Amino acid sequence: MEYRIIGLMSGSSLDGLDIVFASLHENAGRWTYEILKAGCYPYSPEWTERLRSAPGLSALEYQLLHADYGHFLGRQVNNFIEENDLHYQVALVASHGHTVFHNPAKRMTAQIGDGAAIAAETGLPVVSDLRALDVAFGGQGAPIVPIGEKLLLGEYDFFLNLGGIANLSFNRSSYLGFDVCAANRVLNLLANEAGSEFDRDGALAASGLVNPTLLDQLNLLDYYREPFPKSLANEFGTDTVYPLIRKAALSVPDALRTYVEHIASQIRQGISYLIRTEPEAGTGYRMLVTGGGAFNTFLVERIRDQLRSFSVETIVPDQQLVKFKEALIMALIGVLRWRQEYTVLSSVTGALRDSIGGALWNGQDA
């Protein structure tokens, strides 16, 4: 069975809206995929600020933004369809939305981008609110991508996504995953101080020196001692990590160099933990690295160096998969929801059970 689906993803790094049009094919329980069209649509300065400031809105203002952003997403889908001549080819739209609040300890997560508004704008069926049911079942609601990694990319052992938040998952005797640490959101904030949107290739970080005192302070943050499963809200990077770095009063290159080392060392700790979960020690691990941070060659180099003792081969795939893996997996989650099949793995999130998450909005004219 083939499904032609659009997947939407807006990450915490606020670099733009990723849209994928994918062909997903299922045969006897085995899934294959092809990314037919894809694009990243940068946010205007106005939308960047509206999304960044959303946590501070009143209840009414938040709901108005939720609806407005949903209509914005729908219009972007329509533009994407028009630009790529996809009329009458799209069966379903699956939208992750943009995470504003994430507090699974209180069984709450909130991604803005009203699915009803997307359906009204596009006239297509839409699946949204992909994390909510898992959180209601006591799960972290994150990471959400492991179901797609398992079904579409099962030849790898580890999956590392270097987005606004770095998350890691493990596909061996059991499927486990968690958020590791803040990543691009903090790196970009530091690069902004030097007048750059981001640290291209990690060149600024490579020119700096590690500050051992700050590195120790970062590695001692309480989150890293919390038991698994666990996940991070965006505010961990902006409200906890970034102020700690600023307090150290380092040059931008030294701050970036120190934080790159922190990311790499936390990934090493995560890999070490996941390997220890195996009943028998394995060998020859392969790790797929995606997300915007995969283009940070210095960061990837430091991760490789940290993982040499574990015999982990670190693989950065083609640019299309690096950029659009998460939007592709949102498309798959939409199909799974449509088929009434599990969309979230409780072994990753810690929920009471696997669940079929997502709200379905039918924008078609009956």
Side-chain angles (χ1 to χ4, degrees), residues 36-193:
L36 301 174
K37 299 288 181 180
C40 180
Y41 295 81
Y43 290 123
S44 66
E46 178 191 2
W47 268 113
T48 299
E49 182 55 32
R50 292 184 73 184
L51 295 175
R52 180 181 288 123
S53 61
L57 298 177
S58 69
L60 175 59
E61 291 168 333
Y62 177 86
Q63 285 300 117
L64 290 172
L65 178 62
H66 176 56
D68 196 15
Y69 184 58
H71 285 284
F72 167 81
L73 293 177
R75 292 192 295 270
Q76 291 296 89
V77 169
N78 288 340
N79 292 338
F80 180 79
I81 289 172
E82 186 68 33
E83 289 171 7
N84 293 287
D85 194 21
L86 301 178
H87 303 284
Y88 307 109
Q89 297 184 54
V90 181
L92 183 74
V93 176
S95 176
H96 174 270
H98 188 84
T99 299
V100 175
F101 300 108
H102 185 67
N103 192 342
K106 295 185 177 179
R107 300 203 176 188
M108 185 277 288
T109 188
Q111 288 74 44
I112 59 168
D114 184 11
I118 302 172
E121 290 283 351
T122 62
L124 292 167
V126 172
V127 174
S128 64
D129 298 326
L130 306 179
R131 300 179 187 264
L133 185 59
D134 181 79
V135 172
F137 275 122
Q140 293 289 309
I144 197 171
V145 296
I147 187 72
E149 294 166 343
K150 180 179 181 180
L151 295 178
L152 299 179
L153 301 163
E155 66 270 28
Y156 297 96
D157 304 294
F158 289 102
F159 299 91
L160 174 63
N161 179 64
L162 294 171
I165 294 169
N167 50 63
L168 185 64
S169 49
F170 187 37
N171 180 26
R172 271 293 180 104
S173 54
S174 60
Y175 210 103
L176 302 172
F178 54 90
D179 287 345
V180 178
C181 61
N184 292 344
R185 190 71 183 270
V186 172
L187 294 175
N188 291 350
L189 285 171
L190 293 170
N192 294 165
E193 293 182 15

Side-chain angles (χ1 to χ4, degrees), residues 2-43:
E2 183 191 18
Y3 302 87
R4 293 195 163 205
I5 311 296
I6 282 178
L8 308 180
M9 182 68 198
S10 176
S12 59
S13 56
L14 288 170
D15 53 354
L17 175 67
D18 291 337
I19 306 182
V20 160
F21 176 55
S23 170
L24 298 164
H25 191 271
E26 184 271 336
N27 183 23
R30 296 181 63 86
W31 287 89
T32 56
Y33 74 92
E34 182 181 0
I35 296 176
L36 301 174
K37 299 288 181 180
C40 180
Y41 295 81
Y43 290 123

Side-chain angles (χ1 to χ4, degrees), residues 102 104-105 107 131 133-144 146 175-179 227-231 273 344-355:
H102 185 67
R107 300 203 176 188
R131 300 179 187 264
L133 185 59
D134 181 79
V135 172
F137 275 122
Q140 293 289 309
I144 197 171
Y175 210 103
L176 302 172
F178 54 90
D179 287 345
F228 303 93
K230 59 183 181 178
S231 63
Y273 166 79
V344 183
L345 299 173
S346 59
S347 63
V348 172
T349 67
L352 292 174
R353 61 172 176 83
D354 295 348
S355 59

